[in-house]
């Protein structure tokens, strides 16, 4: 029998890059299928799961601005990219027999529902997986901020961020072989040390709403469920 999960309701933050696997661009269906399978496993353990997906595998507004383009337009294009990713994740979850719904911060009624807290909570009550798209719906905010916002609005017990590595390190472990992993941090330590976990607005929002942030490697098969049940390698950020 699987271990009892530590959390009743969680928000899983996935970067757009996580969905493209080894490809240089776009979506790898096999990766999306694996991630959807892990979300379904968590759902079957009785965990209510919300998912926020980024759009960096398709488009980045920050890159547009860096190249002299309009940041606002670039960010809205990035929001559209998150909708594309969210639809792919929802479809993969649906194929596994669990009902999922995409809720977008920007209105695209032909493709998905527009987010409201009331409707989102109704979907949770109906035992659905919620896939949030469109970030916060505003330019100049990252999807990390969108994840922290949705976690607060949905009264989530934890915000889990799937990354390229298995936690928060003193430096980039891919560049610095002497980097060491933190087991636990406080939100304030993350801000004071300027650790590149999530942007400062997201960490501050999680801190102010007393939401633990758990950082783990999304590339390790089964890691999402492992973290939910208190196993696996991760860094826990909590006050």
């Amino acid at each position: 029998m699987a271990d009892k999960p530590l959390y009743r309701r969680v928000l899983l933050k996935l970067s757009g890059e996580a969905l493209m696997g080894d490809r240089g661009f776009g979506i790898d269906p096999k990766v999306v299928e694996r991630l959807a399978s892990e979300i379904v496993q968590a759902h079957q353990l009785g965990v209510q799961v919300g998912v926020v997906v980024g759009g960096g595998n398709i488009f980045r507004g920050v890159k547009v601005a860096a190249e002299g383009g309009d940041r606002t337009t670039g960010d809205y294009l990035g929001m559209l990219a998150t909708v594309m990713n969210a639809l792919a994740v929802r479809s993969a979850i649906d194929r596994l027999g669990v009902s999922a719904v995409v809720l977008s911060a920007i209105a695209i009624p032909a493709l998905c529902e527009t987010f409201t807290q009331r409707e989102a909570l109704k979907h949770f009550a109906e035992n659905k997986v919620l896939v949030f798209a469109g970030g916060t719906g505003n330019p100049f905010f990252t999807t990390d901020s969108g994840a922290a916002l949705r976690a607060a609005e949905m009264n989530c017990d934890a915000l889990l961020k799937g990354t390229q590595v298995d936690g928060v390190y003193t430096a980039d472990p891919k560049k610095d072989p002497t980097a060491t992993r933190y087991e636990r941090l406080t939100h304030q330590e993350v801000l004071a040390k300027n650790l590149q976990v999530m942007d400062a607005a997201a960490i501050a929002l999680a801190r102010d709403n007393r939401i633990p942030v758990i950082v783990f490697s999304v590339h390790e098969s089964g890691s999402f469920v492992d973290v939910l049940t208190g196993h696996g390698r991760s860094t826990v950020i909590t006050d």
Side-chain angles (χ1 to χ4, degrees):
M1 179 179 293
D3 291 343
K4 184 177 180 181
L6 301 177
Y7 310 102
R8 175 186 60 90
R9 180 182 294 171
V10 300
L11 194 293
L12 171 63
K13 169 57 170 53
L14 296 173
S15 67
E17 288 85 351
L19 303 184
M20 68 184 183
D22 294 330
R23 301 184 178 189
F25 179 82
I27 298 170
D28 185 334
K30 291 183 179 179
V31 172
V32 174
E33 188 174 307
R34 176 180 66 79
L35 294 172
S37 176
E38 295 190 25
I39 292 167
V40 167
Q41 289 177 49
H43 181 270
Q44 291 170 340
L45 289 175
V47 180
Q48 293 181 322
V49 183
V51 184
V52 166
V53 289
N57 56 321
I58 299 172
F59 200 91
R60 280 188 176 276
V62 174
K63 184 177 179 181
V64 171
E67 295 175 352
D70 178 61
R71 171 67 185 272
T72 298
T73 300
D75 280 352
Y76 278 116
L77 289 169
M79 292 178 211
L80 294 176
T82 70
V83 174
M84 296 169 67
N85 286 335
L87 292 171
V89 171
R90 184 204 64 190
S91 295
I93 295 170
D94 282 340
R95 286 195 299 272
L96 293 172
V98 171
S99 181
V101 59
V102 174
L103 299 161
S104 173
I106 51 176
I108 312 177
L111 297 177
C112 53
E113 296 186 23
T114 303
F115 171 81
T116 67
Q117 182 193 42
R118 178 179 296 180
E119 289 303 313
L121 291 173
K122 285 182 180 178
H123 286 305
F124 263 146
E126 294 168 356
N127 205 31
K128 297 178 182 177
V129 173
L130 278 57
V131 186
F132 299 107
T136 67
N138 300 287
F140 300 97
F141 288 90
T142 68
T143 50
D144 280 348
S145 291
L149 176 62
R150 295 293 179 252
E153 290 176 305
M154 295 295 100
N155 299 312
C156 289
D157 301 316
L159 167 55
L160 281 70
K161 181 171 182 181
T163 67
Q164 307 291 321
V165 293
D166 57 358
V168 182
Y169 282 75
T170 54
D172 186 343
K174 295 182 179 181
K175 299 178 180 178
D176 184 353
T178 67
T180 58
R181 184 173 61 86
Y182 293 101
E183 288 287 340
R184 300 183 73 87
L185 289 161
T186 66
H187 298 91
Q188 192 57 42
E189 284 175 328
V190 171
L191 294 172
K193 295 176 184 291
N194 195 30
L195 298 172
Q196 301 301 308
V197 182
M198 307 176 86
D199 65 77
I203 291 294
L205 187 55
R207 177 198 62 194
D208 294 347
N209 288 277
R210 299 181 180 178
I211 301 171
V213 178
I214 303 168
V215 182
F216 69 102
S217 173
V218 75
H219 297 295
E220 296 177 14
S221 181
S223 57
F224 178 46
V225 174
D226 284 344
V227 169
L228 288 176
T229 54
H231 303 294
R233 288 166 62 87
S234 65
T235 298
V236 178
I237 302 168
T238 182
D239 293 327

